[in-house]
Amino acid sequence: MKKFVRILVLCLTLALMVSLFAGCGGSSGSGGSDSSGYQLGFVNLADTDVFCMSRETALTAVLEGTEFSVSFTDGNNDNQKQIDQANAFLSKGVDVLIMIPANSEAIVPAIEAANNKGTPVICLGIPASSGDYTYIGSDDYEAGHMQGEYMASVLEENASILYCAGTAGLQNAADRREGFNAALAEAGRTDITILADQDGDYVKDEAMRICDAWIQTYGTGSGTVSFDAIVCANDQMALGCMESLRGAGVLTSAGEVLISGVDGTDEAIQAVAEGYMAQTVLQDAPGQAEAVYAAIQKMVAGESVESRIIVPFQSITAENVGDYQ
């Protein structure tokens, strides 16, 4: 009987330890099959973000069968939660810490903690404002610039645009807007009017709500509107605007309102192929994952790694969408 009690206590203790780790760690996955290999800690921005999950999927695929195992956590757009998750990974002794910061400034204490411990850090997709780390991602200014170049080339004179921005305070949202406006200016399209610029928080449902209001404000009746294009800082918002317009009977045929997004998600590429979106700017998740793999190999080998590794964006329109399907 005493032996049974001891076994029961041991089992309960082990279960408690597992649950505690799961509670601070969120979701997890393994890229490598060798438990004696290198351990990576990945602090995600938010599991609700479609492109962030594309990065997780791509990295898992790249690491499959390698000496690297990766555990993922969901930061849920929460600064303190991300810091806590990073510290938990550092306490476990991960070999490399990978993060998609919710806020470039707020994540700095986690980077400094890793620096003090001597753990290499990768900021993926969103850079931090300070600390010693390697940035791997794409140039968000260039994404917005590609959107501006496209609109400048296809919109008729005196066209009107609505701009659905990313999360206020995020550098990538500011860079995409700046790139877009710069491209219009460089093309000399001072005739184009931006009727509204509103923060959609990178969320599809929020963009739908915003677009519903825009249809009320700028609608002219009988399923028509007074604007020519909606430019969105990501595909989820672009798809939300597309659904809003179609629900209002505005997008009854392709091309009535030109919609542009960023990320090159499968759903957005399909919408471009069908003509309901005019453009998506592909952010290369597999390419970023390959760059992460190359960087962590150097890091664990003690080799120097560039502080900034850029994976180019690619503009997808009706002319080249077949190459991406």
Side-chain angles (χ1 to χ4, degrees):
M1 181 66 179
K2 290 181 179 180
K3 183 178 180 180
F4 173 77
V5 170
R6 286 197 299 270
I7 293 174
L8 179 60
V9 171
L10 178 60
C11 290
L12 290 173
T13 302
L14 289 173
L16 178 60
M17 291 174 65
V18 170
S19 66
L20 285 172
F21 175 74
C24 72
S27 61
S28 65
S30 177
S33 57
D34 184 1
S35 61
S36 64
Y38 297 103
Q39 305 298 312
L40 311 175
F42 189 116
V43 179
N44 197 10
L45 170 65
D47 285 359
T48 54
D49 186 291
V50 172
F51 188 73
C52 284
M53 295 307 294
S54 295
R55 285 192 180 107
E56 283 198 12
T57 301
L59 185 59
T60 299
V62 167
L63 297 179
E64 186 65 37
T66 72
E67 70 273 36
F68 295 98
S69 294
V70 58
S71 295
F72 298 99
T73 63
D74 178 11
N76 198 29
N77 278 307
D78 186 300
N79 298 326
Q80 189 57 52
K81 189 171 185 179
Q82 285 198 312
I83 292 172
D84 292 343
Q85 291 170 348
N87 287 333
F89 278 136
L90 293 174
S91 296
K92 285 181 61 64
V94 294
D95 296 286
V96 179
L97 179 63
I98 305 167
M99 298 186 289
I100 306 177
N103 181 280
S104 297
E105 182 67 35
I107 202 64
V108 170
I111 295 175
E112 292 176 341
N115 294 162
N116 291 336
K117 194 176 177 65
T119 304
V121 178
I122 293 173
C123 284
L124 182 58
I126 299 175
S129 59
S130 62
D132 184 10
Y133 68 93
T134 292
Y135 171 73
I136 297 176
S138 302
D139 187 338
D140 290 293
Y141 178 93
E142 184 62 22
H145 200 275
M146 286 180 175
Q147 290 181 294
E149 287 177 325
Y150 177 77
M151 290 298 170
S153 69
V154 298
L155 286 176
E156 295 183 358
E157 189 175 0
N158 298 319
S160 297
I161 290 176
L162 297 167
Y163 189 85
C164 195
T167 303
L170 284 184
Q171 190 61 46
N172 58 4
D175 288 347
R176 291 177 187 184
R177 177 193 283 112
E178 183 181 355
F180 173 72
N181 290 327
L184 292 183
E186 290 165 13
R189 293 302 307 268
T190 56
D191 60 297
I192 294 177
T193 300
I194 299 178
L195 296 174
D197 181 335
Q198 195 163 341
D199 175 12
D201 205 29
Y202 288 131
V203 176
K204 183 178 182 179
D205 288 347
E206 179 64 9
M208 289 182 67
R209 185 193 67 77
I210 290 170
C211 193
D212 287 346
W214 281 340
I215 292 169
Q216 292 297 317
T217 301
Y218 303 107
T220 56
S222 303
T224 60
V225 291
S226 61
F227 52 86
D228 304 286
I230 300 178
V231 176
C232 301
N234 80 341
D235 281 343
Q236 287 306 293
M237 294 191 298
L239 292 166
C241 290
M242 180 189 77
E243 290 189 17
S244 173
L245 290 170
R246 294 185 71 177
V250 176
L251 281 179
T252 54
S253 62
E256 291 183 34
V257 176
L258 303 182
I259 302 174
S260 173
V262 176
D263 283 336
T265 63
D266 290 343
E267 192 175 356
I269 290 173
Q270 183 62 31
V272 172
E274 294 174 352
Y276 291 108
M277 279 180 61
Q279 178 194 38
T280 179
V281 180
L282 173 67
Q283 185 170 193
D284 188 358
Q288 291 181 9
E290 291 285 357
V292 169
Y293 180 42
I296 60 178
Q297 286 178 298
K298 291 182 178 181
M299 287 174 171
V300 300
E303 300 176 16
S304 61
V305 181
E306 299 173 64
S307 61
R308 185 175 169 84
I309 300 171
I310 300 299
V311 180
F313 279 106
Q314 301 167 52
S315 177
I316 301 175
T317 64
E319 285 70 29
N320 66 346
V321 68
D323 297 335
Y324 297 90
Q325 290 183 294

